[in-house]
Amino acid sequence: MKILHISDLHFPKKLSLFSLRGKAIVGYLNYHVRRKSKHPVVLIAAMVDTIQNLEYDALVISGDLTNVSHPSEFQNAKDILKPILTDKTFLIPGNHDRYQKRAMGPNPLFEKAFEEWMGEPTHPNFYLRTKRIAGKLFVGWDSNLAIPRITANGYVAKEIVEKTVGIAKDPYVLVGHHPLWNPNTEVESASHRMSNRKEVVEGLQSNPPELYLHGHTHTNWVKLPGKETPFTIVNSASSTRLSDFKHECGFHLIELGKQTHYRRFIYSENKFTETNPILYEETEGVV
């Protein structure tokens, strides 16, 4: 099975400051001044075009389609992704898609725009969604918190982890936004990481996924199975950002089989080309 994984798209959308509230004002100014130039429109178009010309069985998008979860950003993201939103697509929200409380409920903006590709809810009281694509079970988490402060923490409740390992009766792919492991060179700050990820990893031990796909930290890696996390972890963030000396950006095409192969694509000279994946052993980082 071939799984194409993209994340942290942060599609650009011009917004009026008068339409923003609270921390969204600071977040938008930060994006507009510091990060907008890192996500050029030409790169975004090249990514969509490349995906349309690749062979894959499933397309996973692990969040952050927007910047400050403004209502118009969701429609903008949907319009850009329209050529690749099919029955093979499975996506979850990122923290920027839950940036404001008004984006979360009672009529969540992410669900309103992307419900068709989010899979089926499995519980009435918390976010846990599943979808079968080409016979493979995909399980989606929402690890994001709408926090008034300028932070990007995540959290996954114990009940969700227990439910996940209980419903998966065959090999499955787990999709979340926050990392469960980081390389020693990419350790997250206390205000950026999933606050209870050690407990989450311990909870998955009884029935671990084949793959955990995520984003959030804007540089690519593949962590191979180890003792503490006996499953592969793949980070494809940010798929729409220009690489620089701190960020190795792009996306992955993962070929599951007797031997799993990891193909990485990066933007270079106005197009996406295949390059070597960045592989780590578990001991080269931390949970």
Side-chain angles (χ1 to χ4, degrees), residues 199-250:
E199 291 80 5
V200 170
V201 167
E202 290 172 0
L204 290 172
Q205 288 279 355
S206 62
N207 185 14
E210 285 184 279
L211 294 170
Y212 177 67
L213 306 180
H214 72 87
H216 197 48
T217 299
H218 288 190
T219 196
N220 294 168
W221 65 70
V222 175
K223 184 213 71 73
L224 301 173
K227 183 178 179 181
E228 192 170 8
T229 51
F231 48 90
T232 300
I233 297 177
V234 180
N235 178 12
S236 289
S238 163
S239 303
T240 58
R241 178 174 177 145
L242 294 170
S243 295
D244 54 36
F245 71 100
K246 287 186 177 181
H247 304 88
E248 294 278 0
C249 301

Side-chain angles (χ1 to χ4, degrees), residues 6-175:
I6 63 177
S7 193
D8 293 64
L9 308 176
H10 294 290
F11 292 132
K13 176 67 177 176
K14 187 175 181 179
L15 302 173
S16 166
L17 289 179
F18 295 105
S19 68
L20 303 175
R21 307 174 188 172
K23 75 170 186 176
I25 298 174
V26 179
Y28 179 71
L29 289 174
N30 177 58
Y31 155 75
H32 195 76
V33 173
R34 297 179 55 195
R35 293 191 291 110
K36 183 179 178 181
S37 61
K38 300 292 185 180
H39 297 269
V41 175
V42 64
L43 190 161
I44 293 168
M47 181 197 71
V48 173
D49 183 67
T50 300
I51 290 173
Q52 288 183 282
N53 288 284
L54 285 172
E55 292 185 6
Y56 60 89
D57 300 298
L59 169 63
V60 172
I61 308 175
S62 54
D64 276 4
L65 281 63
T66 67
N67 289 290
V68 294
S69 65
H70 187 275
S72 66
E73 288 187 294
F74 292 97
Q75 184 59 50
N76 178 57
K78 189 175 181 180
D79 291 342
I80 293 171
L81 291 172
K82 184 177 180 180
I84 55 176
L85 290 175
T86 71
D87 58 359
K88 297 191 293 186
T89 305
F90 183 61
L91 46 74
I92 63 159
N95 63 295
H96 281 265
D97 305 316
R98 305 295 204 197
Y99 205 77
Q100 304 179 69
K101 286 186 177 180
R102 64 172 174 165
M104 300 191 73
N107 185 22
L109 297 176
F110 191 88
E111 281 82 343
K112 185 177 179 180
F114 297 107
E115 182 81 29
E116 183 178 349
W117 304 280
M118 294 174 64
E120 297 296 324
T122 64
H123 197 281
N125 297 329
F126 48 71
Y127 189 109
L128 179 60
R129 288 175 172 260
T130 62
K131 183 176 182 178
R132 282 198 178 273
I133 306 175
K136 178 67 66 179
L137 178 65
F138 289 79
V139 179
W141 285 352
D142 180 357
S143 59
N144 310 290
L145 303 170
I147 304 172
R149 305 181 304 276
I150 304 297
T151 59
N153 294 107
Y155 178 85
V156 177
K158 180 180 179 181
E159 293 82 1
I160 295 176
V161 181
E162 292 175 345
K163 184 73 171 178
T164 298
V165 299
I167 64 175
K169 304 301 182 184
D170 51 0
Y172 67 102
V173 175
L174 180 59
V175 186

